[in-house]
Structures are given as C-alpha cells and as structure tokens.
Amino acid sequence: NQTIAQKILVGLMLILITTTSQAQQITPPKVWFGISGAASFNQYAGTTQTLNSSTKAPTAFHDGKGVGAYVAALMEITSNKVWGFRFNFGYDNRSGKFNDVIAPCNCPATLKTNVSYLTLEPSLRIAPFASAFYIFAGPTINFNHSKSFVYTQEKQTDQSGDLSDINETLIAGQVGAGIDIPLSSPTSIHQTSISPFISYHPYFGQNTRSIENLSITSLRTGLSLKFGRGSINAVAVVPTAPIVQVVAPTVVDDGNILFSIVAPSSVSSKITIKENFPLRNYVFFEEGSNEIPNRYARLSKYQASNFEKGTFQFPEPENLSRRSSRQLSAYYNLLNIIGDRMRINPETKITLIGSGAGKGSNAGNLLAESVKKYLVDVFEINGDRIFTEGRNQPIIPSEQPNSTEDLALRMDGDRRVDIVSNFPVLLKPLTLVSTENKIDENQIVFTTQGTKNTSLKSWNLEIKDDVGKVQYYGPFTSNESSIAGNSILDNRKSASYKVTMKGTTTDNKLIVKESNLFLRRDTQIITEGLRFSILFDYDKSYTDVAYDKFLNDVVAPLVTNNATILIHGHTDILGDKDYNLQLSLKRAEEAQRILEMKLVSRGIKGIKYKTSGLGEDEMLAPFENKLPEERFYNRSVIIDIIPN
C-alpha cells in the first residue's frame, strides 16, 4: 500500500544519503585519462566503379557493409556531476565489402576496401541524471590513413591497389551514450573506471571520395578504461544519523502578477466549413522499399477508368476533433487525382524527383520510377509526359547538417517523390465541405501580466469543472494564450470552472493565481465559413510567390466587411518546442500581413483578426505526427473566415 511504499522510498533515500556522505571523503577525479577499444559496424551507401586511374570494374558495386576496429587515447574532464568534455585521438578502420555483383562475363565479382582514418573526436559529455549514465555528442575530424582495395573476378587475376580521389579530411559528427562502472574503492585516491559505450556516426559529412557518391555510416560499440586521481576532502564528516530535508518551492501570491480571463458570453456549437484543401505534392516511402505504401489508394486499371472527382470525397467522420481522418483520405488519392487530371488534360507534363534520404541518387530514382510505373500502367499516361530524376536528398531536406534530434523522423520525410509541374491544374486544391464544432471562433483568452521587475518565465493552467474533472494546458511562455471554448466545454451544455494559474518567475518563484469561468453553449448553427490552408517548407516562416498570389487573388476577395479572420500557425514536432512556437507565430503573422495589405487596398473595413502561433502543440495540431505526410501538413497556417 501507499504507506509501505513511502517507507521504502524514505529508507532508500536515507541509505543513499548515508552512502553519499561516507563516499564524499574522497572527491572524485576531475580529469581522467585512458584508452578506448571498439568494433565499428560500417554500412556503405552509394556506388563505386572507378577504383583508380588503371582499374575500373566492368560492373558498378552498390552498398555494402563490414566490421573494423577502433582504438583511441582518451581524456575526459568533468566540471561537475552533469557537464563534462571528452577528447579521443585514435585509429578508426572503416573496411567493408560491397554487395557482390555479376560481371559481363556472367561470373561473380567482389570488391573489398580497407579504408581507415586517424580521428580527432572532441565531444560534450552530459550526465542528465547526475549519475553514472552519460551521453555525448560532437564533431569528428578524420584524416585518411589507408585506402586500399582488392577486386576479384572469377575469370581474371585479382587486382589490388589504392582507391583514387579519396577525400583526405572529413568533418562529420557523432552521438553516443555510455555508463561508468567504478573498479576502485570509493575511499581510494587512485580511481579506475570501465565504461561500456555505443556511438553512432551518420553518413553526412562522410563522403569518402570526391568522385561517385560513396558514404559510410558507422555504429561503434566498445569499452573505455579510465584512470584518475581524486583528492581528499579537507573535512570529512559522517553523520551519526542521516538528516532528510525537503525544500519546497517558494509559493508567492505576488500582486505584481495580474491574471485575467476573457470569455465570450456563449460558445457557438457548429459551423458549416467550406474548405480549400491544398494537395501536398509528395509521395512518401517506407525505408528499404521501392513500393508505393499501402496507405496510398491504388486502383486497378478498370477502377482508374471510372475514377471521377467525387470518388475521393469521403463522408464526414464521426470524430471531428481532428481534420486528418478526412483530409488524409483525400490526400492518399493523390496519385489517382494526378492521373485523372493528366488524362483529362493531355497537354500536361510532370517531373518526378525521387530522394533517397541519404541512400544516394540511384535509390531516389527507383522511387520516382515506381510512381511513374503506376501512372503509366494504371492511368495509361504516355511515359514521354513523365520525367524522372534521382537525388540523394530533396531540395529542402528535413535532415539538416549535424542534426541528431529526431533523425529517424527527418529521414522518413526525406524518403519521398516530389511531383513537380508547370501546369497548376494538376495540383489544384480540393474543396471539402463539413460541419464542425466552432473550435476556433470561440477562444477563451488567458493573460498574465507582470511589471518590469517581476515576470513569468512559463505558466500552466489547471481547469477544474463543477463535477471534479480537471483539464491541464501549457506550459505557455508568452503573456497571452487562447484555448478553444469547445475544447474546454467538451460535450456539456454549460459548466462552471475553477481556473488555477501556476507560473514560474525568472528567479524561480512559484506564483499561484485563481479565477472562475462559466461557459454555456449556443445551439445556433452559423453558415457558411471558409477555410484555407497555407503550407510551408521545413523551418520556413515565409510563403513562396505562389501562396502570396493565392492569398491576394483567391482569399482576400472573399472577405467582406466586419468579418472575423482566424489565423493559426502550426509546426510539426521536429526541433525545439520553444523555437517551434515562435516559428508558428511568424508564419501566422506573415499570412496576416499579406492579407491585411490587400484588404486595406480594397477598402474592406471592420476586420477582426485573431492571430496566434500554436507551435507543435499536439492537442491543437490539425494533424497527428506519426506519419511524414501528417508532419508536413502540420507545417501550415490555417485561415478561417467567419462572416459577420
């Protein structure tokens, strides 16, 4: 039960404190020296055929793998229990064997390489829990040491030599983790520690040669043996009885912080939305597969001959809390929509740009050819109207240089085919009509305001209704935030709420403020609102020329006097949460700026703007973030126009 659990927890804390007090007679070493040894599991990606000026294989080799050895001298500096610095100088063997091929003589051929480097690897060391576990990340500087190869073919003499056009210096990166296991007594001044570790060395920056496109990804796993000298404390005190002191955060009801709530007199129930839904021109692929994923609607030739515009407009889903269930159903018919529109407009042409997400341009081209085959075979589009191109990475990749966070998600977004065309009719937005809860129009505005001497670093909301149900929102970092009235009210007709704001000041004091809120639902149905979506590329806050024109020529003329324009910016979950919040606000403000200029020039008056950035907040995001297409659709600004 809870009492026993509490006793066990307190007992463990007492043992930990007593042990720590005894061990602190010796201050752990700040500087460690040692050696590291590891096995490097190397993955080759790319193509090699020209080995040097005198040797060219008759058949190109693609990809491969191998295992090499890594040995290094190690120095480690720990400034405190959390932060530190590591430096390795070592030898890294990245040898491997390419996948076997069949030469023109119809006989097997093999290619083995012995590529190795002398490496300098400085890295930041972080023990996030102030414990033996640590993570590290930093650059690697690699100087080529060897570059030999052996080429064998069944019907000719083995050939060996050095690979030509080797990049002598590579600057790349690594990220890893390890755990320190002490081998010495904690009371010994001379300390020895063994540290199992694993590190990942991604392909970017590791372009082995200046010709062709060979890159090497390595997974390194091994042990470090470290030695250090501690220091004796000037005073060592072992308490006869452990003392546990719990320090609670200071709670201040500070009059310098004002908390206010502004709510509408009633929350409208529903609105008929006519949505202009843009088509993302991407088809995303699964890792290791060139087949169009099953989530994309694929038709037989007979079904394609009867495909019409209305067939992808599915009924309204019962759960309207997210747009994605219906909109993605339409989006997953992207290839059928493109095929149908190319069939109706025989003058149109497209270019399919396949990106291999670091697996090379050949891998990207295979993806593009897969899409082309579907359009040619199923919709009988002339292949001369479809051009294909392969790239290692898309023009605007989600995977940025030296990025290590969310790497798998970024690569999922870069493994795709871009559909590019100079014929706008092929990617013309769809029109979807739905009846939705008026989530966006009825915003409850929560505001915190401080003085120049007192301000909040962040704050959260706890909203408790009259039957005891509690909702939590936040954290927020700006002074004002809005929450949809329907989100709080849920399915109830009316409810009273106790709202508690808990904020942290810049000097780490806890501010608690309370207020009351009453909401009731207005059952009136208002028709008809208009919704538009503006899509953004990764990490971009400005629209391209096409969307500027769209806002000016399509959206602005539909706005009438005294309308309300709701503009919400969103991002996906890649990157820093605070940065994404600011990025989404910049996107929303950019859309408002363009619209505002056009409406002023047209003499439209009485417009009420409600513009906000919602960042990556998954509770408010229009789509989920499980699939790359969902994350790409979340890089958007949604504009709702509610007539007076």
Side-chain angles (χ1 to χ4, degrees), residues 90-134:
Y91 168 84
D92 187 17
N93 183 273
R94 300 180 191 170
S95 60
K97 177 179 178 295
F98 282 83
N99 296 335
D100 292 348
V101 298
I102 301 298
C105 60
N106 198 29
C107 50
T110 64
L111 176 62
K112 299 179 180 179
T113 69
N114 183 31
V115 179
S116 64
Y117 295 85
L118 299 178
T119 66
L120 298 176
E121 299 179 355
S123 59
L124 183 65
R125 180 189 190 277
I126 305 173
F129 312 109
S131 64
F133 172 77
Y134 63 91

Side-chain angles (χ1 to χ4, degrees), residues 343-417:
R343 186 170 55 191
I344 296 171
N345 302 278
E347 76 284 359
T348 57
K349 298 179 181 180
I350 60 173
T351 299
L352 303 175
I353 305 175
S355 302
K359 298 295 185 181
S361 57
N362 288 339
N365 192 62
L366 290 175
L367 304 184
E369 289 293 335
S370 178
V371 173
K372 178 177 179 178
K373 185 176 187 301
Y374 178 80
L375 293 173
V376 171
D377 292 352
V378 175
F379 282 87
E380 300 181 318
I381 306 301
N382 190 321
D384 293 340
R385 297 169 59 194
I386 305 174
F387 306 93
T388 60
E389 176 185 331
R391 294 177 57 90
N392 184 47
Q393 295 279 22
I395 297 174
I396 302 179
S398 297
E399 184 180 352
Q400 300 295 304
N402 300 320
S403 62
T404 56
E405 287 187 359
D406 306 314
L407 193 59
L409 298 183
R410 294 175 187 272
M411 294 178 71
D412 283 348
D414 291 346
R415 192 183 305 109
R416 69 177 193 248
V417 171

Side-chain angles (χ1 to χ4, degrees), residues 362-588:
N362 288 339
N365 192 62
L366 290 175
L367 304 184
E369 289 293 335
S370 178
V371 173
K372 178 177 179 178
K373 185 176 187 301
Y374 178 80
L375 293 173
V376 171
D377 292 352
V378 175
F379 282 87
E380 300 181 318
I381 306 301
N382 190 321
D384 293 340
R385 297 169 59 194
I386 305 174
F387 306 93
T388 60
E389 176 185 331
R391 294 177 57 90
N392 184 47
Q393 295 279 22
I395 297 174
I396 302 179
S398 297
E399 184 180 352
Q400 300 295 304
N402 300 320
S403 62
T404 56
E405 287 187 359
D406 306 314
L407 193 59
L409 298 183
R410 294 175 187 272
M411 294 178 71
D412 283 348
D414 291 346
R415 192 183 305 109
R416 69 177 193 248
V417 171
D418 293 26
I419 302 173
V420 180
S421 177
N422 291 325
F423 296 88
V425 67
L426 296 184
L427 289 168
K428 182 181 177 181
L430 306 179
T431 299
L432 302 178
V433 178
S434 62
T435 302
E436 296 190 6
N437 288 331
K438 289 189 60 181
I439 292 176
D440 290 334
E441 186 185 3
N442 300 278
Q443 295 292 312
I444 315 302
V445 181
F446 301 87
T447 305
T448 61
Q449 186 175 355
T451 66
K452 64 179 181 179
N453 297 321
T454 306
S455 60
L456 295 182
K457 183 168 54 177
S458 65
W459 51 286
N460 297 269
L461 290 175
E462 178 183 294
I463 304 178
K464 184 177 181 179
D465 67 13
D466 44 20
V467 295
K469 180 182 176 182
V470 182
Q471 301 177 59
Y472 299 94
Y473 296 91
F476 308 108
T477 54
S478 59
N479 291 335
E480 181 179 292
S481 186
S482 300
I483 301 174
N486 270 290
S487 175
I488 299 174
L489 195 55
D490 199 15
N491 294 320
R492 301 184 67 181
K493 293 183 178 180
S494 65
S496 298
Y497 300 88
K498 178 182 178 181
V499 181
T500 303
M501 186 280 293
K502 297 180 180 179
T504 303
T505 64
T506 52
D507 55 355
N508 292 320
K509 291 181 180 179
L510 180 62
I511 305 291
V512 178
K513 297 281 187 177
E514 293 184 348
S515 186
N516 296 311
L517 173 66
F518 175 77
L519 294 178
R520 68 177 177 86
R521 189 179 300 283
D522 181 354
T523 57
Q524 180 184 5
I525 296 179
I526 303 175
T527 57
E528 164 182 272
L530 301 174
R531 173 172 292 161
F532 301 90
S533 295
I534 307 298
L535 305 180
F536 290 78
D537 290 319
Y538 176 77
D539 198 26
K540 303 300 182 188
S541 61
Y542 53 85
T543 59
D544 59 25
V545 175
Y547 276 123
D548 281 9
K549 183 176 176 61
F550 176 74
L551 286 170
N552 280 307
D553 297 352
V554 177
V555 180
L558 298 174
V559 180
T560 56
N561 289 333
N562 303 312
T564 298
I565 301 180
L566 314 169
I567 305 176
H568 290 166
H570 300 272
T571 72
D572 61 18
I573 58 173
L574 301 183
D576 179 75
K577 190 172 185 177
D578 291 338
Y579 177 84
N580 284 341
L581 185 63
Q582 296 302 316
L583 177 62
S584 67
L585 181 58
K586 289 180 182 178
R587 288 174 173 174

